[in-house]
Amino acid sequence: MNSFSRKYRKLKNNPKLFFKDMWNKQIRKIKQHSPVKYTGKFQYTIVSAVYNVEKYLNDYFKSIVNQSLDFKKHIHIICVDDGSTDHSAQIIKQWQKKYPNNISYYYKENGGQASARNLGLDYVKTEWVTFIDPDDFIHVDYFKIIDDEIGKDENIVLIATELATYHESNESYSYKNGHLSYNYASNTLVPVNNLNNHIHLSVCASMFNNNLIKKYNLFFDEKIKPCFEDGNFISDYLLYSRTNNIKFLPDCYYFYRSRADMSSTTNQQWDQEGKYIDVFKYGYIPMFKKYKKHWGYVPTNIQFTFLFYAIQYFKKFLDQKEKLKNVIDDKKIKIFNKHMNQCFEYIDETTIMKFHLLGCNFFTKKDF
């Protein structure tokens, strides 16, 4: 289907979405060619783990270089090539040649996203750091909005930006339709020690204070695969930020690319053994123990974090238990069930009844 046919079908099926996408696209084009560049107050580093993303890198770089916050003055990109076998390295070096003071390139043998991000963190010198994935892109005012907000409150240690989805298959966008969109109903400042049901799970759509990361020697656990690397890093970060604040920023969009070929880690995670063993052993269970040790209790937001993932297991396998046997054997299924029960020992019944995400209702909760 050609581009015209896709656009016509979108106009016919959802005219409101068609015109909104068209408007946002034109705004981005206008701002990308605008000579106006803003000078901000802070310096930022982007650490990106790169693995075979050659066809996405130009979109990634364009969205950063064309930021309304002056790229040359405020933003540094660290690309860590995790053993790519395509032309990712050549494309990065082409952009590095244009901006030698703003783009760094490092190569390592393939070891996974966590190890690549950890290597990149070693080279971060700025006060603020984020982890934009190289197959995604950001709104043209992304860094300007963040810079303005950080300057308003010295106790902010985490900026949580809003996720939008770019559907590669039909070149359309989805806004404010995510499961965590309630966090962005308004420009919200929330104390870390009272987050309640406010959870944030993406390090890509986050801005972290690097001083805190260095102080507590925080890193991405390379044993947690194929998911929850982000959630675990954020939970560790918040563990040591109890007296600080999180700012949830609506309309400061991070565009997650939903790949047409369904080749992302998100799409493939359910077929990997680590999803059922390692994620529990090195992720969820240690997370609960850390909060119990340091805070004396497990706060609601951490319980919600686990339930957000737990409901996905329940919904996927509750009525299709035979599917699980296609991924792990009976012995490992017993370990998986043991770990799941161990996690629920940290979950309050009142929290389960409050949990409302991913279509969770009473009939699902009774199976918890």
Side-chain angles (χ1 to χ4, degrees), residues 248-273:
F248 291 90
L249 285 183
D251 302 324
C252 183
Y253 286 116
Y254 178 100
F255 292 103
Y256 166 78
R257 183 187 298 269
S258 179
R259 297 187 191 180
D261 62 6
M262 305 292 285
S263 61
S264 69
T265 302
T266 302
N267 297 129
Q268 299 175 351
Q269 61 179 314
W270 294 101
D271 297 325
Q272 300 182 44
E273 182 181 298

Short mmCIF file of all heavy atoms in Angstrom, two decimals, residues 248-273:
data_model
loop_
_atom_site.label_atom_id
_atom_site.label_comp_id
_atom_site.label_asym_id
_atom_site.label_seq_id
_atom_site.Cartn_x
_atom_site.Cartn_y
_atom_site.Cartn_z
N PHE A 248 5.92 15.06 36.36
CA PHE A 248 5.30 14.42 35.21
C PHE A 248 4.89 15.51 34.21
O PHE A 248 4.08 16.37 34.54
CB PHE A 248 4.08 13.60 35.64
CG PHE A 248 4.42 12.39 36.46
CD1 PHE A 248 4.50 12.47 37.85
CD2 PHE A 248 4.65 11.17 35.86
CE1 PHE A 248 4.83 11.36 38.61
CE2 PHE A 248 4.98 10.04 36.61
CZ PHE A 248 5.06 10.14 37.99
N LEU A 249 5.46 15.46 33.01
CA LEU A 249 5.27 16.53 32.04
C LEU A 249 4.35 16.10 30.90
O LEU A 249 4.75 15.30 30.04
CB LEU A 249 6.61 16.96 31.45
CG LEU A 249 7.53 17.80 32.33
CD1 LEU A 249 8.77 18.20 31.56
CD2 LEU A 249 6.80 19.04 32.83
N PRO A 250 3.14 16.63 30.85
CA PRO A 250 2.25 16.33 29.72
C PRO A 250 2.71 17.08 28.47
O PRO A 250 3.31 18.16 28.55
CB PRO A 250 0.89 16.84 30.20
CG PRO A 250 1.22 17.93 31.16
CD PRO A 250 2.50 17.51 31.84
N ASP A 251 2.45 16.49 27.32
CA ASP A 251 2.74 17.12 26.01
C ASP A 251 4.23 17.32 25.74
O ASP A 251 4.60 17.99 24.79
CB ASP A 251 2.01 18.46 25.87
CG ASP A 251 0.50 18.31 26.02
OD1 ASP A 251 -0.04 17.28 25.57
OD2 ASP A 251 -0.14 19.20 26.60
N CYS A 252 5.07 16.76 26.58
CA CYS A 252 6.51 16.73 26.29
C CYS A 252 6.77 15.32 25.77
O CYS A 252 7.10 14.41 26.53
CB CYS A 252 7.31 17.01 27.56
SG CYS A 252 9.10 17.08 27.32
N TYR A 253 6.59 15.15 24.47
CA TYR A 253 6.43 13.81 23.92
C TYR A 253 7.74 13.11 23.56
O TYR A 253 8.59 13.65 22.85
CB TYR A 253 5.54 13.85 22.68
CG TYR A 253 4.09 14.06 22.99
CD1 TYR A 253 3.43 15.21 22.56
CD2 TYR A 253 3.36 13.12 23.71
CE1 TYR A 253 2.08 15.42 22.85
CE2 TYR A 253 2.03 13.31 24.00
CZ TYR A 253 1.39 14.46 23.57
OH TYR A 253 0.07 14.65 23.87
N TYR A 254 7.82 11.86 24.05
CA TYR A 254 8.82 10.90 23.59
C TYR A 254 8.08 9.96 22.65
O TYR A 254 7.10 9.33 23.04
CB TYR A 254 9.40 10.13 24.77
CG TYR A 254 10.41 9.07 24.38
CD1 TYR A 254 11.78 9.33 24.49
CD2 TYR A 254 10.02 7.83 23.90
CE1 TYR A 254 12.71 8.36 24.13
CE2 TYR A 254 10.94 6.86 23.53
CZ TYR A 254 12.29 7.14 23.65
OH TYR A 254 13.21 6.18 23.28
N PHE A 255 8.54 9.86 21.41
CA PHE A 255 7.85 9.05 20.41
C PHE A 255 8.46 7.66 20.33
O PHE A 255 9.58 7.47 19.84
CB PHE A 255 7.90 9.73 19.04
CG PHE A 255 7.10 11.00 18.97
CD1 PHE A 255 7.73 12.24 19.02
CD2 PHE A 255 5.71 10.95 18.89
CE1 PHE A 255 6.99 13.41 18.97
CE2 PHE A 255 4.97 12.12 18.84
CZ PHE A 255 5.61 13.35 18.88
N TYR A 256 7.70 6.69 20.86
CA TYR A 256 8.10 5.29 20.77
C TYR A 256 7.69 4.75 19.41
O TYR A 256 6.55 4.90 18.99
CB TYR A 256 7.43 4.48 21.89
CG TYR A 256 7.51 2.99 21.69
CD1 TYR A 256 8.68 2.30 21.98
CD2 TYR A 256 6.41 2.27 21.21
CE1 TYR A 256 8.76 0.92 21.79
CE2 TYR A 256 6.49 0.89 21.02
CZ TYR A 256 7.66 0.23 21.31
OH TYR A 256 7.74 -1.12 21.11
N ARG A 257 8.64 4.13 18.73
CA ARG A 257 8.36 3.59 17.40
C ARG A 257 7.84 2.15 17.50
O ARG A 257 8.55 1.26 17.98
CB ARG A 257 9.62 3.60 16.53
CG ARG A 257 9.40 3.11 15.09
CD ARG A 257 10.73 2.98 14.36
NE ARG A 257 11.42 4.25 14.26
CZ ARG A 257 11.28 5.08 13.23
NH1 ARG A 257 10.48 4.77 12.23
NH2 ARG A 257 11.97 6.22 13.21
N SER A 258 6.62 1.94 17.08
CA SER A 258 6.06 0.60 16.96
C SER A 258 6.46 0.07 15.60
O SER A 258 5.91 0.47 14.58
CB SER A 258 4.54 0.63 17.11
OG SER A 258 4.00 -0.67 16.97
N ARG A 259 7.42 -0.82 15.58
CA ARG A 259 7.98 -1.28 14.31
C ARG A 259 6.99 -2.11 13.50
O ARG A 259 6.28 -2.95 14.06
CB ARG A 259 9.25 -2.11 14.56
CG ARG A 259 10.38 -1.35 15.21
CD ARG A 259 11.63 -2.22 15.24
NE ARG A 259 12.68 -1.65 16.06
CZ ARG A 259 13.86 -2.23 16.24
NH1 ARG A 259 14.12 -3.39 15.66
NH2 ARG A 259 14.78 -1.66 17.01
N ALA A 260 7.01 -1.89 12.22
CA ALA A 260 6.11 -2.62 11.33
C ALA A 260 6.44 -4.11 11.29
O ALA A 260 5.56 -4.96 11.15
CB ALA A 260 6.16 -2.03 9.92
N ASP A 261 7.73 -4.45 11.45
CA ASP A 261 8.14 -5.86 11.37
C ASP A 261 8.09 -6.58 12.71
O ASP A 261 8.49 -7.75 12.81
CB ASP A 261 9.54 -5.98 10.76
CG ASP A 261 10.61 -5.28 11.60
OD1 ASP A 261 10.29 -4.80 12.71
OD2 ASP A 261 11.77 -5.19 11.15
N MET A 262 7.61 -5.88 13.77
CA MET A 262 7.45 -6.48 15.10
C MET A 262 8.76 -7.08 15.62
O MET A 262 8.78 -8.10 16.28
CB MET A 262 6.36 -7.56 15.07
CG MET A 262 5.03 -7.11 14.55
SD MET A 262 4.22 -5.94 15.68
CE MET A 262 3.68 -7.05 16.98
N SER A 263 9.89 -6.41 15.35
CA SER A 263 11.20 -6.98 15.69
C SER A 263 11.77 -6.46 17.00
O SER A 263 12.89 -6.82 17.37
CB SER A 263 12.19 -6.69 14.56
OG SER A 263 12.36 -5.29 14.39
N SER A 264 11.04 -5.62 17.72
CA SER A 264 11.58 -5.03 18.94
C SER A 264 11.61 -6.04 20.08
O SER A 264 10.94 -7.08 20.05
CB SER A 264 10.74 -3.82 19.36
OG SER A 264 9.46 -4.24 19.79
N THR A 265 12.40 -5.73 21.12
CA THR A 265 12.49 -6.59 22.30
C THR A 265 11.12 -6.75 22.96
O THR A 265 10.78 -7.83 23.46
CB THR A 265 13.48 -5.98 23.32
OG1 THR A 265 14.75 -5.83 22.70
CG2 THR A 265 13.62 -6.87 24.54
N THR A 266 10.33 -5.68 22.95
CA THR A 266 8.98 -5.73 23.54
C THR A 266 8.13 -6.80 22.89
O THR A 266 7.39 -7.52 23.56
CB THR A 266 8.29 -4.35 23.39
OG1 THR A 266 9.09 -3.36 24.03
CG2 THR A 266 6.90 -4.37 24.02
N ASN A 267 8.24 -6.93 21.58
CA ASN A 267 7.45 -7.91 20.86
C ASN A 267 7.93 -9.34 21.10
O ASN A 267 7.13 -10.28 21.05
CB ASN A 267 7.49 -7.62 19.36
CG ASN A 267 6.87 -6.29 19.00
OD1 ASN A 267 7.47 -5.48 18.30
ND2 ASN A 267 5.66 -6.02 19.49
N GLN A 268 9.22 -9.51 21.37
CA GLN A 268 9.79 -10.86 21.43
C GLN A 268 10.00 -11.39 22.85
O GLN A 268 10.39 -12.54 23.03
CB GLN A 268 11.14 -10.86 20.69
CG GLN A 268 11.01 -10.50 19.22
CD GLN A 268 12.37 -10.40 18.52
OE1 GLN A 268 13.41 -10.44 19.17
NE2 GLN A 268 12.34 -10.28 17.21
N GLN A 269 9.73 -10.58 23.87
CA GLN A 269 10.09 -10.93 25.23
C GLN A 269 9.42 -12.20 25.76
O GLN A 269 10.02 -12.95 26.54
CB GLN A 269 9.77 -9.76 26.17
CG GLN A 269 8.30 -9.38 26.21
CD GLN A 269 8.02 -8.23 27.15
OE1 GLN A 269 8.50 -8.21 28.27
NE2 GLN A 269 7.24 -7.25 26.70
N TRP A 270 8.20 -12.48 25.32
CA TRP A 270 7.45 -13.60 25.87
C TRP A 270 7.99 -14.96 25.44
O TRP A 270 7.63 -15.99 25.99
CB TRP A 270 5.97 -13.50 25.49
CG TRP A 270 5.32 -12.32 26.12
CD1 TRP A 270 5.03 -11.13 25.54
CD2 TRP A 270 4.87 -12.22 27.48
NE1 TRP A 270 4.43 -10.27 26.44
CE2 TRP A 270 4.32 -10.92 27.64
CE3 TRP A 270 4.87 -13.08 28.57
CZ2 TRP A 270 3.79 -10.48 28.85
CZ3 TRP A 270 4.34 -12.65 29.78
CH2 TRP A 270 3.81 -11.36 29.90
N ASP A 271 8.89 -14.97 24.48
CA ASP A 271 9.46 -16.22 24.00
C ASP A 271 10.82 -16.52 24.62
O ASP A 271 11.51 -17.44 24.18
CB ASP A 271 9.61 -16.17 22.46
CG ASP A 271 8.27 -16.04 21.76
OD1 ASP A 271 7.28 -16.61 22.26
OD2 ASP A 271 8.21 -15.36 20.72
N GLN A 272 11.20 -15.75 25.65
CA GLN A 272 12.51 -15.92 26.26
C GLN A 272 12.39 -16.42 27.70
O GLN A 272 11.59 -15.90 28.49
CB GLN A 272 13.28 -14.60 26.21
CG GLN A 272 13.50 -14.09 24.79
CD GLN A 272 14.30 -12.80 24.75
OE1 GLN A 272 15.30 -12.66 25.45
NE2 GLN A 272 13.86 -11.85 23.93
N GLU A 273 13.21 -17.38 28.03
CA GLU A 273 13.16 -18.00 29.36
C GLU A 273 13.37 -16.99 30.48
O GLU A 273 12.75 -17.08 31.55
CB GLU A 273 14.21 -19.10 29.45
CG GLU A 273 14.22 -19.84 30.77
CD GLU A 273 15.30 -20.90 30.83
OE1 GLU A 273 15.23 -21.85 30.01
OE2 GLU A 273 16.20 -20.78 31.68
#
